[in-house]
């Protein structure tokens, strides 16, 4: 019986084999590169010929000028993205759910969903153009109200909020679909019962719709904790400049500049390792919280 079961499951295991190989090659083999963080790595000598320095790179990282500001930038930007990345799609999903005309509803869904498919290389160029302090359409509109031009991508006070707003604009359409799917799972009889009890649309939303969405809201909120140190390298790299390093430099861009620009490979590796360890702790906690509060299981 066991032999027949193994023969029956063999095609399924063979289907998994290419994925297992890819994960092993691109996710597990590169872990050997962590050793660079404890070396004075020299490309000419390679991984096995470079001299070992112990924890020197770690101590150097802790004393790097501005490292505290970089960690704070990463944490604050990613936290704002997580919070508004949850709130905005919920509000939009509730508004779309109130549209009776299906054609209009699907049109709005398509329009807000499209930016998700554009890369930050494209959107970066678009944002640089429309946010330009000289001829950008945003500053032209602000000028109609007597507001002086704002350098959104070159002002440390505005840059973090520009990152958050543009990221929400790009991704809220995709996240809205998840909440719209959750709305379809709500029993229509609950709305009928609420209507018979005299509840209007607002009370139906507050007492029926939101409680029905709460499991998926709690699940996505807890799982997003693992992204607290992921502020979005692609976006920041395409939008920031030395003028906004103070407010926009994050751990990932610091790793890029330290490793590939300044060629301090050991320091860049140890910074990346530091982020990975913290992220592992947060992801583990988020999965525990998802299981504890949303009954989420990986298998």
């Amino acid at each position: 019986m066991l032999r027949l079961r193994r023969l029956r499951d063999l095609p399924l295991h063979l289907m998994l084999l290419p994925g297992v190989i890819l994960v092993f090659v691109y996710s597990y083999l590169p872990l050997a590169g962590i050793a660079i963080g404890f070396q004075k790595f020299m490309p000419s000598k390679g991984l096995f010929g470079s001299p070992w320095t112990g924890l020197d790179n770690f101590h150097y990282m802790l004393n790097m000028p501005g490292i505290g500001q970089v960690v704070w930038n990463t944490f604050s930007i990613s936290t704002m993205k997580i919070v508004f990345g949850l709130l905005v799609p919920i509000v939009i999903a509730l508004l779309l759910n109130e549209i009776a005309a299906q054609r209009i509803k699907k049109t709005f869904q398509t329009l807000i969903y499209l930016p998700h498919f554009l890369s930050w290389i494209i959107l970066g160029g678009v944002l640089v153009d429309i946010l330009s302090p000289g001829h950008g359409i945003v500053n032209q509109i602000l000028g109609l109200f007597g507001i002086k031009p704002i350098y959104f991508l070159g002002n440390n006070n505005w840059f973090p909020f520009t990152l958050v707003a543009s990221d929400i604009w790009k991704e809220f359409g995709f996240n809205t679909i998840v909440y719209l799917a959750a709305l379809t799972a709500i029993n229509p009889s609950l709305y009928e019962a609420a209507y018979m009890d005299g509840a209007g649309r607002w009370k139906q939303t507050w007492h029926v719709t939101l409680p029905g969405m709460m499991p998926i809201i709690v699940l996505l909120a807890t799982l997003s904790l693992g992204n607290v140190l992921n502020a979005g390298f692609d976006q920041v790299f395409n939008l920031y400049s030395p003028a906004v390093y103070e407010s926009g430099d994050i751990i990932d861009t610091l790793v890029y500049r330290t490793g590939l620009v300044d060629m301090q490979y050991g320091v860049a590796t140890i910074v990346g390792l530091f982020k990975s360890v913290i992220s592992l702790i947060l992801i583990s906690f988020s999965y525990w919280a998802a299981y504890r509060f949303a009954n989420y299981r990986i298998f």
Side-chain angles (χ1 to χ4, degrees):
M1 186 67 181
L2 182 59
R3 183 179 180 183
L4 291 176
R5 184 178 178 180
R6 288 177 177 175
L7 289 174
R8 183 190 62 189
D9 294 343
L10 181 61
L12 300 177
H13 289 91
L14 292 176
M15 289 176 62
L16 286 173
L17 186 60
V20 172
I21 294 175
L22 286 175
V23 171
F24 178 76
V25 171
Y26 290 103
S27 298
Y28 284 93
L29 285 182
L31 289 177
I34 293 176
I36 296 175
F38 305 94
Q39 296 177 330
K40 184 177 180 180
F41 183 73
M42 301 177 183
S44 59
K45 295 185 178 181
L47 184 63
F48 300 101
S50 299
W52 292 88
T53 58
L55 296 177
D56 287 355
N57 290 325
F58 182 76
H59 292 305
Y60 181 86
M61 177 195 73
L62 294 178
N63 293 289
M64 287 177 66
I67 185 65
Q69 184 65 41
V70 169
V71 174
W72 169 249
N73 292 341
T74 305
F75 177 78
S76 60
I77 292 172
S78 60
T79 300
M80 287 191 290
K81 286 183 178 181
I82 290 172
V83 172
F84 290 103
L86 289 170
L87 293 179
V88 173
I90 292 173
V91 173
I92 299 300
L94 293 174
L95 293 176
L96 288 176
N97 190 53
E98 296 299 317
I99 299 178
Q102 290 298 314
R103 181 173 297 179
I104 297 177
K105 181 178 180 180
K106 291 183 182 296
T107 300
F108 275 111
Q109 283 183 251
T110 302
L111 290 176
I112 64 177
Y113 189 46
L114 283 177
H116 171 75
F117 296 99
L118 300 177
S119 70
W120 276 114
I121 297 176
I122 297 174
L123 289 180
V126 172
L127 289 172
V128 168
D129 187 54
I130 66 176
L131 297 178
S132 169
H135 59 275
I137 186 172
V138 173
N139 277 301
Q140 289 183 15
I141 294 175
L142 293 177
L144 298 176
F145 298 93
I147 301 175
K148 295 181 179 180
I150 300 173
Y151 197 1
F152 291 97
L153 299 179
N155 187 306
N156 281 302
N157 295 324
W158 285 98
F159 186 70
F161 301 103
T162 304
L163 290 177
V164 175
S166 58
D167 182 77
I168 300 304
W169 167 66
K170 181 179 186 296
E171 299 295 343
F172 83 91
F174 178 80
N175 297 330
T176 299
I177 294 177
V178 178
Y179 296 109
L180 287 174
L183 288 173
T184 61
I186 300 176
N187 191 341
S189 62
L190 296 175
Y191 291 103
E192 296 174 2
Y195 177 76
M196 294 299 293
D197 289 337
R201 295 303 300 174
W202 169 249
K203 289 189 175 181
Q204 290 179 32
T205 300
W206 187 257
H207 296 287
V208 178
T209 306
L210 284 176
M213 297 172 62
M214 195 55 63
I216 192 67
I217 293 175
V218 173
L219 173 62
L220 295 180
T222 52
L223 292 180
S224 65
L225 293 176
N227 293 318
V228 169
L229 292 183
N230 289 326
F233 171 78
D234 291 345
Q235 179 196 21
V236 178
F237 182 74
N238 283 284
L239 293 178
Y240 84 150
S241 63
V244 290
Y245 278 176
E246 180 183 346
S247 64
D249 199 16
I250 60 175
I251 293 177
D252 291 330
T253 53
L254 176 65
V255 170
Y256 168 80
R257 290 201 319 277
T258 304
L260 296 182
V261 178
D262 298 336
M263 294 185 291
Q264 299 184 51
Y265 304 107
V267 178
T269 302
I270 211 69
V271 174
L273 179 61
F274 167 76
K275 176 194 171 185
S276 298
V277 171
I278 301 300
S279 297
L280 175 62
I281 296 172
L282 293 173
I283 290 172
S284 300
F285 174 77
S286 67
Y287 275 98
W288 173 84
Y291 171 76
R292 176 67 176 81
F293 299 106
N295 198 31
Y296 174 78
R297 292 178 174 84
I298 300 176
F299 53 85

